[in-house]
Structures are given as C-alpha cells and as structure tokens.
Amino acid sequence: GSIACEEIVGTLRSFYRNTIERGHEAHAGTTCIFAAVLRDKELVVGKIGDGMCVVLVNDKAEYLSHEENDFANVVDALSYETPIDAWDIRRIPLHYGDKAEVFMATDGIAGDVVPGKERECAAYFIKKVGDKKGEEANETLRDILIRWGEDGSADDKTAIVYKDQVHENDC
C-alpha cells in the first residue's frame, strides 16, 4: 500500500525487524540499509551506515553519500533497535519528464571504488542494469558482482539499481 514519506524509515525498520527470527534479535545486524522512493514530485533517499549511495537526476549528480571517512568499514552493526533519527534522509525535488537514477551498494563495493569516481561507478551499473527488467536485470547485476575485484574478496557485494522517469501522474 501507499505510505507517507515520513513513514518510510519506520516502515523499513519494521520490515527489517520482522525478518529476524524470533529469539535471534540480539544476534542480528547489518552495517548499512538504504531506501529510495519516487513519489509526489520528489525522490526520497534514506541511508544509514556504511556503503555508498549515488543519485543522478537527468545525468547530474544530486547526491553522493561519499564524505570523509564515509566508506570506513563499520563494525558496529545496526540492529533493529538503532534509532530512526540516525538515518540520513535526502528529499530531491523532481519535475515532469525528469529521469531519476539511483545506485546503492554495500561497503564490499564502495570500498573498492576509486575516490572521486563514485558517479562513474554508479553510471556504469545504471547503464548495464538499468534498462533491463526482472530476472534479466538480476542476472546482469549478479554477473557483474561475481566477477568483481581481482582478489576474489569475500566481502559482501550487494547493489541496487533504480531507474525511473517522472510521469504526468506522479506530479
């Protein structure tokens, strides 16, 4: 169903908490969580923890999560008890016809990106995966991630590619 922008973080927190098997809450955790929602003439992006997030609107970088020490390997897990106000929420206004593209990746990818090349990395993933649908997109993304890095690093490699255009009924 539809939720208000203000409810996005709480809803994600509930989804995350509900996936943890009862009795295992104290042992569950992750170091990054992301969300991107296009609605009501804006793109709402939420990020908590490490990893990277790049938002391109009409091919222009509107948000890069990379800041000094942003890609540090966070070892303190975000648990289901992490407070909601710990999230970095960005609201990016959009207009009819705007093209919004989002790339989100865990630190297993972010840590390998050459500093200053985050936009190029995001554009590569968006170009390779963004025009494909369903399982074809998943297979393309999986193929990129399996071959990621020369050292065969076992660090987690999770990425999300989101691409959409603002339509008349979005405005």
Side-chain angles (χ1 to χ4, degrees):
S2 180
I3 62 172
C5 290
E6 292 73 25
E7 298 175 89
I8 292 169
V9 173
T11 301
L12 283 171
R13 183 176 182 223
S14 295
F15 286 152
Y16 176 63
R17 185 175 184 170
N18 290 336
T19 62
I20 300 170
E21 189 175 328
R22 191 175 299 279
H24 292 267
E25 294 90 350
H27 306 288
T30 185
T31 61
C32 60
I33 304 174
F34 305 99
V37 177
L38 174 63
R39 58 177 289 156
D40 299 332
K41 292 195 263 187
E42 69 179 356
L43 179 65
V44 181
V45 179
K47 173 186 178 285
I48 186 170
D50 56 5
M52 76 186 275
C53 178
V54 178
V55 176
L56 305 174
V57 176
N58 301 325
D59 298 320
K60 179 181 173 225
E62 292 292 335
Y63 171 58
L64 297 170
S65 65
H66 181 225
E67 297 169 5
E68 195 65 33
N69 299 321
D70 195 39
F71 292 162
N73 191 13
V74 175
V75 293
D76 295 325
L78 305 165
S79 76
Y80 72 95
E81 294 176 331
T82 300
I84 289 173
D85 61 1
W87 283 71
D88 177 19
I89 303 290
R90 303 293 171 108
R91 301 173 87 110
I92 301 167
L94 299 171
H95 303 92
Y96 172 68
D98 282 350
K99 178 179 66 170
E101 300 169 314
V102 181
F103 175 68
M104 303 174 183
T106 57
D107 60 323
I109 293 173
D112 294 340
V113 176
V114 174
K117 296 292 185 180
E118 297 83 10
R119 185 199 178 289
E120 289 84 350
C121 177
Y124 172 80
F125 274 86
I126 291 166
K127 179 181 178 187
K128 291 286 189 182
V129 179
D131 289 332
K132 295 175 175 56
K133 304 280 187 226
E135 192 52 37
E136 184 183 8
N138 290 336
E139 286 176 18
T140 302
L141 187 55
R142 196 169 23 251
D143 190 49
I144 295 169
L145 297 180
I146 287 171
R147 290 171 173 73
W148 188 269
E150 296 176 14
D151 64 354
S153 171
D155 198 3
D156 67 299
K157 307 277 189 276
T158 304
I160 298 167
V161 176
Y162 174 80
K163 182 176 178 180
D164 204 353
Q165 186 167 16
V166 180
H167 302 282
E168 194 171 353
N169 58 351
D170 293 327
C171 298

